[in-house]
Amino acid sequence: MAQYSKDISRTFSEYLLIPGLTKKDSIPENVNLKTPVVKFNRGETSELQLNIPFVSAIMQSVSDHRMAMALARNGGLSFIYGSQPMEDQAEMVRKVKKFKAGFVVSDANLTPENTLSDVAALKIKTGHSTVGITEDGTSNGKFLGIVTSRDYRPGKDDPGKKVKDFMTPFSKIVTGKLGITLNEANDIIWENKLNCLPIIDDNQNLQYFVFRKDYDDHKENPNELSDSNKKLMVGAGINSRDYKERVPMLVDAGVDVLAIDSSDGFSEWQHETLQYIKETYNGKVKVGAGNVVDKEGFLYLAGAGADFIKVGIGGGSICITREQKGIGRGQATALIEVAQARDEYYKEKGVYIPICSDGGIVQDYHMVLALAMGADFIMMGRYFARFDESPTRKLLVGNNYVKEYWGEGSNRARNWQRYDVGGKETLKFEEGIDSYVPYAGKLKDNLDITLGKIKSTMCSCGALSISELKENTKITLVSSTSIIEGGAHDVVLKDTN
């Protein structure tokens, strides 16, 4: 007969944090959220650390180069999705590594032959009112002009009007040359009373935009995550199929860390992938593995050489693996067991392997619970999909703005490599859905609020670091009636509309 686990499969919502002693120095500004990403030996520190314990999920609808830039600038890390041609993924990594503070790669571009209706559609899609006009409509094509909201009148001008008939042409635009410093670019902006300065190379190809509104932007990102060369850090997802071709391209593009993306990481496929990468690059290329939900899975991947291990199967908001296959475990229970295994491994081997909690986050306080239960950092999809910086469209559905969000196991993503179990056949059923999430605005604005909550909660627990949170926090199970008691109840709520 099958082996039965005595532990009940529990979620984060079934637990609460018990306050600890809040000392006089337990204030949010003293909280340090720095956390390791890759394994390290006792007495040493991790080669790669986050300034905030967040990474964005390896998903088409979440992590592209724009999200990677925005999250790294705020102290976290993105794993650019691997369910795309390896050349395109490598190019996204390259764009992040080439990013310079204040220098923005244009993702709103058209040709002179496009129309005003194309401009309007692009503005809705990207949220940007500044459109670069290039010969081929790409972000690095020959720069021919620019269109801003001052160049046309919505509702008055003909939607079929050609861009070339109302754009500001190159001959009338002040530009900067590639290689210019940010200070020099800002001087040109202020001297010429500009809102935007296009940066071009010697062949008149568009490279960047520098905006007046970003003048003080670098001062607003004290947690920026960058490497020794002051370049933003970025991760990338890989699979256990084409890694021999994909990994070299990503390494050449400058990727900082890799993660094998699979719904079930307890497999010989991942073992072979880890072994190949470690042997080929002599351990210098860092790669995480997963996902697992118990001690046995953790030890298997630890033995294979994983630099970090992801925990969680079926807990994502758009994941239906548990419904389809009956496989998985409550995220809290899985995390507690794997964290205990990690600590035992560290005590015995002297090697600390960070674990990443992937899935199951519904409320912001769940993030603190995940960290207290032993996670070193948290991977999230739905949370980041809501923001301007995610790669999906913003739509008006009913009376509310939403953003598209779909799972890697959905027909839309068609990322069968993430779910297959070997062999030549692809999956015949979906393990993810296609959905919407409420639009929430800019990443930074929302992230600041979330981090404020986390720091405040940690102060209530008497913890000023994630390690202190793990060591000292008390956690209690809650009953179903206790959960009801925790929200507004027995009152008539005012209508605030």
Side-chain angles (χ1 to χ4, degrees), residues 347-369:
K347 185 177 181 180
E348 179 185 345
K349 307 282 189 180
V351 179
Y352 186 92
I353 303 177
I355 57 178
C356 168
S357 179
D358 179 14
I361 300 294
V362 180
Q363 307 293 341
D364 285 356
Y365 80 88
H366 290 171
M367 301 173 193
V368 186
L369 275 168

Side-chain angles (χ1 to χ4, degrees), residues 193 200 255 267 286 314 317 329 459:
K193 299 180 180 179
I200 60 174
V255 74
S267 75
K286 305 303 179 184
S317 60
R329 200 176 194 184
C459 288

Side-chain angles (χ1 to χ4, degrees), residues 109-128:
N109 306 282
L110 294 171
T111 72
E113 296 302 317
N114 282 108
T115 64
L116 178 56
S117 63
D118 294 326
V119 173
L122 190 61
K123 184 176 180 180
I124 292 173
K125 178 182 178 181
T126 65
H128 302 319

Side-chain angles (χ1 to χ4, degrees), residues 204-473:
Q204 200 178 312
N205 295 318
L206 179 63
Q207 299 297 315
Y208 304 105
F209 281 131
V210 178
F211 294 95
R212 175 186 287 262
K213 63 182 176 60
D214 293 334
Y215 180 69
D216 291 322
D217 188 54
H218 63 288
K219 297 178 182 178
E220 298 174 3
N221 295 284
N223 287 324
E224 187 169 277
L225 188 68
S226 56
D227 60 23
S228 57
N229 296 315
K230 302 299 181 183
K231 294 182 179 180
L232 295 182
M233 302 194 80
V234 60
I238 61 173
N239 61 62
S240 56
R241 290 284 185 156
D242 63 12
Y243 57 91
K244 292 182 181 179
E245 296 79 34
R246 187 177 294 269
V247 171
M249 285 191 179
L250 294 172
V251 171
D252 184 64
V255 74
D256 295 287
V257 59
L258 302 170
I260 305 173
D261 185 28
S262 174
S263 68
D264 178 8
F266 193 7
S267 75
E268 291 183 344
W269 304 105
Q270 288 217 11
H271 190 287
E272 288 183 2
T273 304
L274 286 166
Q275 294 275 284
Y276 177 84
I277 294 172
K278 290 300 174 183
E279 290 172 5
T280 302
Y281 294 95
N282 197 27
K284 293 182 179 179
V285 172
K286 305 303 179 184
V287 54
N291 289 17
V292 298
V293 292
D294 64 2
K295 176 180 180 178
E296 192 177 0
F298 171 85
L299 292 176
Y300 183 79
L301 293 179
D307 288 296
F308 68 86
I309 294 174
K310 290 204 292 144
V311 178
I313 294 178
S317 60
I318 41 69
C319 182
I320 54 173
T321 295
R322 296 180 193 174
E323 288 182 19
Q324 295 282 44
K325 295 168 66 175
I327 289 175
R329 200 176 194 184
Q331 187 66 11
T333 303
L335 186 56
I336 290 168
E337 179 172 327
V338 174
Q340 288 174 342
R342 186 267 319 278
D343 293 344
E344 291 170 4
Y345 187 90
Y346 177 55
K347 185 177 181 180
E348 179 185 345
K349 307 282 189 180
V351 179
Y352 186 92
I353 303 177
I355 57 178
C356 168
S357 179
D358 179 14
I361 300 294
V362 180
Q363 307 293 341
D364 285 356
Y365 80 88
H366 290 171
M367 301 173 193
V368 186
L369 275 168
L371 297 170
M373 289 176 176
D376 294 282
F377 55 101
I378 302 164
M379 177 173 280
M380 295 183 288
R382 180 189 61 85
Y383 179 86
F384 290 111
R386 304 172 300 148
F387 304 144
D388 286 324
E389 294 82 359
S390 75
T392 63
R393 295 182 299 171
K394 182 176 75 172
L395 304 170
L396 184 62
V397 176
N399 294 318
N400 299 304
Y401 280 105
V402 296
K403 293 208 75 176
E404 295 176 301
Y405 181 46
W406 60 91
E408 289 296 289
S410 66
N411 263 322
R412 183 168 185 174
R414 305 194 67 79
N415 184 11
W416 304 137
Q417 293 93 336
R418 187 177 197 272
Y419 297 87
D420 71 19
V421 290
K424 295 181 179 179
E425 291 190 8
T426 58
L427 287 181
K428 299 295 191 297
F429 56 90
E430 294 181 273
E431 291 191 43
I433 63 170
D434 198 342
S435 65
Y436 299 119
V437 288
Y439 169 67
K442 294 182 180 298
L443 178 146
K444 184 175 180 58
D445 294 342
N446 290 273
L447 193 58
D448 285 347
I449 294 172
T450 296
L451 293 174
K453 290 181 183 179
I454 289 174
K455 290 180 178 181
S456 179
T457 303
M458 288 175 64
C459 288
S460 293
C461 294
L464 294 180
S465 67
I466 293 174
S467 59
E468 285 184 14
L469 184 72
K470 293 176 185 176
E471 293 169 7
N472 304 326
T473 299

